[in-house]
Structure formats: structure tokens, C-alpha cells
Amino acid sequence: MIRTIPFRGSRQIPVLGQGTWHMGESAARRADEVAALRLGLDLGMTLIDTAEMYADGRAEELTAEAIEGRRDEVFLVSKVMPQNATYAGTKAAAEASLRRMRTDRMDLYLLHWRGEHPLEETLRAFAELKAEGKILAYGVSNFDVDDLSDALEHPGGGDLASNQILYNLERREADGGLLGFCQDRGINVMAYSPVNQGRLRERPGLKEVAQRHGTTPACVAVAWTIRREGVVAIPKAVQPEHVRENAKAASLRLTPEDVAVLNREFPGPRRGARLGVY
Ligand code: NAP
């Protein structure tokens, strides 16, 4: 089973979850996608990340199918699009997501990225949804240090539980300061695109570390994203062998020597680098 870490002190979440971007886009692939999510749940990757944006809501509908009969096992995450993130728009979007996912609550609800609507409106809606028990926690995504600092100043900002960000061996801008900023404030970091959307370059050192552990470069890459306390990763995979490999990353302990090899091959950013986005 997959190790868990505390989430806002009161709950535990697995260090590995499952993404759903690009799921629900093709009727022909739907059964395989549902099966992949269910396999991931069986392997302990019980956090599922989705969004109203993905396949125009069809990823949420597919998630409903995957979690049918096992809702209580799952830590369910979805997101409101910035263009919907007014006070009333956020509340309506949450209701629509709950309907599509056929559930009465989300475990975590995120603002997908910062848009033009005032943050105080989104946060006010989040706080109300939380008081009503429709979401159990809320957070943001793609927020760099400046946006996060700003959000923390607003009423309700102190309850931000998570920041979902781009983070992998090739896109490690968050190492420039954001990761530490979140960790210092008890804000969970959720690393998206941990295998760089399948485009991770298999450089010699990465291959060497994988060989040393009898695994694949992708598995090492996922393990690298969760090497720091307070970080969870949400790889998306439909192929069963990918799902199995990703699950194994939770128990792969990289040694300081492994990390040094990877740091040489995938150097960290300069201090204060701006967060990247996909
Ligand atoms: P990702 O998880 O890094 O990569 C997914 C791609 O890599 C798929 O093509 C998958 O193939 C392949 N793959 C997965 N595991 C693999 C393995 N062990 N070996 C080789 N290839 C593997 O990228 P992502 O989908 O962009 O990110 C993950 C999730 O994060 C998303 O699905 C979404 O839920 C979330 N996300 C959030 C944001 C945001 O703005 N908040 C942005 C991007 C992503 P198969 O599917 O064919 O198995």
C-alpha cells in the first residue's frame, strides 16, 4: 500500500494520486480509462484529481464511474475554472461538479489558476461551500509566491490547504522558492505532470539510477517529485503498466547519491525563478 502524509493536520492523503487530464475525450477509450483509475485505487493511489475543464466535464463523469461504490476510499479533488470563479459562479460550478461526480462532497476544491475575478469572491464562495460540507478543504493551483502571498492576506486565505503546481525533473522552477514557501506555511504541494506529460528525457544518469533500483526512468522521476515532505504527485496513466509503475514510485527511496546524480543532470532553477505552467 502507499504511504500517506498528514493533510491539514486532521486527515491523511496518499503521496501518490491519479490525474485525469485528457480522460473522457474519446468514447472508445472510456472503458480503459475507468479501468485504469480503478486499478490505481486498488494499488492505493486513492487521490483522484479532476477538473470541470477536463473534456468539458466528461472527466468528472468518468471519475464518478471509477469511484462508484467506493466513494469513501477516495480523496476527490476538482477545480473551478477562473472564468467561473466569481462568488456565484464558483458556487454554481461546485454544484455542477458534484452532480457530474455523483457525490455530495469534494475533499478538495481548487481555483485552477488565477484569473480576472477578485480572489475575495472565490474565497468567500469556497468558505461557504466548506461550511455547507460540500467541500472539505480548498486551495489553489498554479499560484506562485506573489499570488499565494496575496491570497493569504484575504479573508479565508489562511485556510488554503493546497497548491497544485507543475513540478518534475525538467520543470523544477518551484525549487526556486515556492516549495519552501508552501512547506513553511503547512500548504500541501500537489505536483502535476510528474513525468512531464510522458516527454521526460531519459538521460544517462536517470537511466543509471533506474537500473540501480531495478525500475524505469519514469518511476524514478515520480519518486523524485515526492522525495520532499509535504509533496504529493498525481501522475496520469491509462496503460496498466504505467499505473503499476507509478504506484511503485511511492516505495522507491532515492539515496542522497541518486539525488546528486539527478541534480547534476537536471539542475535546479536560480533562486526566485517564476513558476512554470502547463
Ligand atoms: P503526466 O502525468 O506527467 O504524464 C501523463 C502522460 O505520461 C500520459 O501520456 C501517460 O501515458 C504517460 N505516463 C504516465 N505514467 C508513465 C510511466 N510510468 N511511464 C511512461 N509514461 C507514463 O502529465 P499530466 O497528465 O499533465 O499531469 C498529471 C495530472 O495533473 C493531470 O492528468 C491533471 O489531473 C493534473 N494537471 C493539472 C494541471 C493544473 O493546471 N492544475 C495541469 C496539468 C496537469 P498513458 O496515459 O498512455 O498511460
Side-chain angles (χ1 to χ4, degrees), residues 21 49 141-142 164 193 195 197 236 238-239 242 245-246:
W21 194 14
D49 175 74
S141 176
N142 298 306
Q164 187 179 112
S193 308
V195 291
Q197 303 192 319
K236 171 261 177 187
V238 178
Q239 296 181 51
H242 288 166
E245 241 171 54
N246 293 341

Side-chain angles (χ1 to χ4, degrees), residues 45-232:
M45 292 189 289
T46 53
L47 184 157
I48 296 184
D49 175 74
T50 188
E52 62 169 342
M53 187 184 92
Y54 300 162
D56 290 328
R58 288 192 305 283
E60 290 183 328
E61 289 167 1
L62 183 145
T63 297
E65 217 176 297
I67 67 174
E68 196 181 345
R70 45 202 309 190
R71 172 67 187 89
D72 291 345
E73 284 172 50
V74 178
F75 188 94
L76 194 54
V77 185
S78 193
K79 315 182 196 82
V80 57
M81 282 194 289
Q83 54 266 48
N84 291 337
T86 56
Y87 167 73
T90 302
K91 294 197 82 172
E95 296 289 353
S97 287
L98 289 169
R99 265 196 309 279
R100 282 190 291 268
M101 293 192 285
R102 301 201 294 265
T103 184
D104 60 352
R105 68 198 186 281
M106 288 177 258
D107 296 281
L108 178 63
Y109 196 40
L110 306 175
L111 173 59
H112 210 144
W113 63 92
R114 188 166 188 176
E116 297 196 337
H117 296 303
L119 266 184
E120 45 266 52
E121 286 201 29
T122 318
L123 287 169
R124 184 155 65 89
F126 279 172
E128 276 187 27
L129 288 163
K130 189 171 171 219
E132 292 160 3
K134 291 176 178 169
I135 64 175
L136 303 187
Y138 59 83
V140 290
S141 176
N142 298 306
F143 270 42
D144 210 339
V145 170
D146 49 358
D147 284 328
L148 209 45
S149 305
D150 184 23
L152 288 167
E153 293 296 308
H154 288 89
D159 279 340
L160 288 173
S162 185
N163 187 18
Q164 187 179 112
I165 55 167
L166 173 61
Y167 188 56
N168 63 52
L169 274 169
E170 297 203 83
R171 299 303 307 269
R172 40 184 306 192
E173 291 93 329
D175 279 330
L178 179 61
L179 267 181
F181 182 91
C182 291
Q183 285 174 325
D184 289 347
R185 287 157 185 79
I187 299 172
N188 157 264
V189 169
M190 205 170 279
Y192 73 68
S193 308
V195 291
N196 206 22
Q197 303 192 319
R199 298 191 301 257
L200 193 72
R201 281 167 297 163
E202 296 192 1
R203 292 183 167 168
L206 174 56
K207 282 200 202 158
E208 173 202 314
V209 173
Q211 270 163 12
R212 206 153 47 221
H213 290 278
T215 187
T216 63
C219 185
V220 170
V222 175
W224 179 87
T225 61
I226 55 170
R227 75 201 182 286
R228 284 170 69 157
E229 215 38 58
V231 182
V232 306

